[in-house]
Amino acid sequence: MKSENSRWPCPACGAAMNYNPAARQLVCGHCGHTEVLEAPPEADRRQALQEHPLLPALNGRLPQAAMEEVQISKCPGCGADLELEGLVSATTCPFCATPVMPGGPPQRLIRPQAVIPFRIPEREARERMAKWLGSLWFAPNGLTQFARKGRLLTGIYVPFWTFDSDTRSSYSGMRGDAYYVTETVTVMVDGKPQRQQRQVRKIRWSRASGRVARFFDDVLVIGSQSLPREHTEALAPWDLGGLEPFRKDYLSGFQAEAYGVALDQGHQRAREIMSGQIAMDVRRDIGGDEQRIERIDTDWSDETFKHILLPVWTAAYKYNGKSYRYVVNGQTGKVKGERPYSVWKILFAVLCALILFGLIAVVSEGRY
């Protein structure tokens, strides 16, 4: 995690310059000096966004230029891998609000190739989060106050992997075609047995086999273990067309997390995602009304990957000794988070419901 001590000095006054998502340029908070970030030449852009071959990387044979050495401190609360460069005292983890001490052995990691710069300013992200928190039923008053106080969010570039693969799969299974038969049954009507006819759905099964093929492009897998998967997956979709070649200017005023999910682990997760889509393709290919898949054999080829950073605004809120985390997609503004429940509000709502149902019962019986 890059420390906030990292500085981009202003050429006019020497103060720190930060990347401004609204203006999409570097801005000095002291004197107002701005610097436009020039777009890279198209050739440089294509080269920066080019995928790495997967197999050499899994075998530790990436070029030296694709690697970097970083010093990692692990958060004792959520396990986030934080690069606290330049810090000599404890800081707070942006994911769970746990104190973290700097220090740790250096590690050689794959360098990020591309980044989606923040597009949603902090103020807008805070407003979206406050609106989301304020809409929660049975939320404690402290949570509502937290939303109204306007506590600043932390902007973090979260590591992700993208994977490409060409796939060809053979399968075998069963195709089920529905048909209906008429059956006569005995039912009780007003205490008397009656014979009635009804349509009963049945399935005629037949053998099925075949082949399907699909090319997967940019299957996205989070490289962080600091946030629950349901949080980050809920922030989708991301517009990866907004990827820019990695440059540290975009990190000015923000932080960047080192990946904690290794490449081979990310690849395994990507294959799980792809296999789910392949199974859907197989079901469509089998056809019919129902399908049973017995076997899928997939050949994977031309597998490549990228290491990218995606923008996330985050805040941690402690209630009754437990941390609750909130994240906002820094590109689209979509919000996801955890929430506590107020026991007193729930009990009050139950009491009100019981009173209301009691009044309805009294009125319906004509006693009111």
Side-chain angles (χ1 to χ4, degrees):
M1 174 92 52
K2 295 294 183 185
S3 145
E4 292 182 1
N5 289 9
S6 299
R7 291 167 55 89
W8 278 253
C10 173
C13 69
M17 299 188 71
N18 293 328
Y19 177 72
N20 186 318
R24 301 189 182 184
Q25 58 188 4
L26 292 175
V27 179
C28 177
H30 180 70
C31 71
H33 176 77
T34 62
E35 287 189 6
V36 177
L37 300 180
E38 298 291 342
E42 187 59 31
D44 293 348
R45 177 184 175 84
R46 287 196 302 268
Q47 182 177 1
L49 299 182
Q50 187 174 3
E51 286 87 358
H52 292 301
L54 179 65
L55 187 57
L58 291 176
N59 293 327
R61 298 200 307 269
L62 271 180
Q64 290 299 316
M67 307 295 293
E68 64 178 354
E69 189 170 277
V70 295
Q71 194 166 14
I72 303 298
S73 297
K74 185 171 288 291
C75 171
C78 65
D81 291 314
L82 312 178
E83 186 183 348
L84 305 178
E85 178 183 323
L87 289 185
V88 295
S89 59
T91 188
T92 300
C93 175
F95 295 107
C96 67
T98 300
V100 181
M101 292 295 297
Q107 299 182 28
R108 287 192 62 76
L109 300 178
I110 299 173
R111 186 187 304 273
Q113 297 169 244
V115 56
I116 292 182
F118 275 86
R119 294 289 182 256
I120 302 294
E122 191 275 339
R123 177 184 295 273
E124 181 180 344
R126 187 163 17 107
E127 291 173 352
R128 290 178 182 242
M129 190 190 77
K131 183 179 179 181
W132 181 81
L133 291 174
S135 68
L136 298 178
W137 286 66
F138 304 125
N141 291 332
L143 184 63
T144 306
Q145 294 171 5
F146 168 81
R148 291 174 178 171
K149 284 180 181 178
R151 176 180 171 183
L152 295 179
L153 305 184
T154 301
I156 300 174
Y157 284 102
V158 178
F160 280 80
W161 304 105
T162 73
F163 294 92
D164 296 357
S165 182
D166 201 6
T167 66
R168 288 175 172 78
S169 305
S170 61
Y171 69 85
S172 62
M174 302 287 288
R175 169 184 172 131
D177 293 294
Y179 66 98
Y180 293 85
V181 297
T182 302
E183 293 183 350
T184 302
V185 297
T186 301
V187 298
M188 299 300 292
V189 179
D190 296 331
K192 298 179 180 180
Q194 288 188 3
R195 302 282 286 174
Q196 293 183 358
Q197 290 185 334
R198 66 178 182 183
Q199 293 292 102
V200 178
R201 185 178 185 268
K202 294 184 178 295
I203 298 294
R204 182 179 294 109
W205 292 100
S206 58
R207 301 295 308 176
S209 62
R211 298 182 63 88
V212 295
R214 177 181 285 268
F215 175 74
F216 290 92
D217 182 37
D218 286 342
V219 174
L220 199 61
V221 176
I222 187 170
S224 169
Q225 296 176 321
S226 53
L227 290 172
R229 183 185 294 174
E230 59 268 22
H231 278 36
T232 52
E233 290 182 350
L235 293 183
W238 297 87
D239 179 12
L240 297 185
L243 282 170
E244 298 288 343
F246 177 78
R247 57 191 298 180
K248 290 190 174 181
D249 295 308
Y250 292 128
L251 273 58
S252 180
F254 297 94
Q255 299 176 343
E257 184 186 7
Y259 61 82
V261 176
L263 178 62
D264 58 342
Q265 295 172 314
H267 177 232
Q268 180 179 355
R269 173 58 183 158
R271 280 202 173 181
E272 292 174 0
I273 296 172
M274 297 181 205
S275 294
Q277 180 61 59
I278 291 172
M280 294 175 60
D281 292 345
V282 167
R283 292 187 183 277
R284 280 194 294 268
D285 199 62
I286 291 176
D289 300 295
E290 295 184 19
Q291 304 83 32
R292 292 176 181 169
I293 300 176
E294 298 174 347
R295 174 190 59 85
I296 299 178
D297 294 324
T298 299
D299 291 327
W300 312 82
S301 61
D302 296 328
E303 292 185 280
T304 59
F305 78 96
K306 291 193 303 291
H307 173 31
I308 65 175
L309 301 178
L310 300 183
V312 175
W313 292 104
T314 181
Y317 168 75
K318 284 197 171 182
Y319 179 76
N320 283 345
K322 182 179 178 182
S323 292
Y324 296 88
R325 291 164 290 186
Y326 308 94
V327 290
V328 182
N329 185 316
Q331 183 188 37
T332 66
K334 193 174 182 180
V335 183
K336 177 64 178 179
E338 301 164 320
R339 50 85 49 86
Y341 289 85
S342 171
V343 175
W344 293 110
K345 287 187 177 182
I346 294 175
L347 291 176
F348 180 74
V350 172
L351 179 61
C352 290
L354 291 174
I355 294 174
L356 178 60
F357 290 146
L359 290 175
I360 293 174
V362 170
V363 172
S364 65
E365 292 177 6
R367 299 175 183 174
Y368 188 76

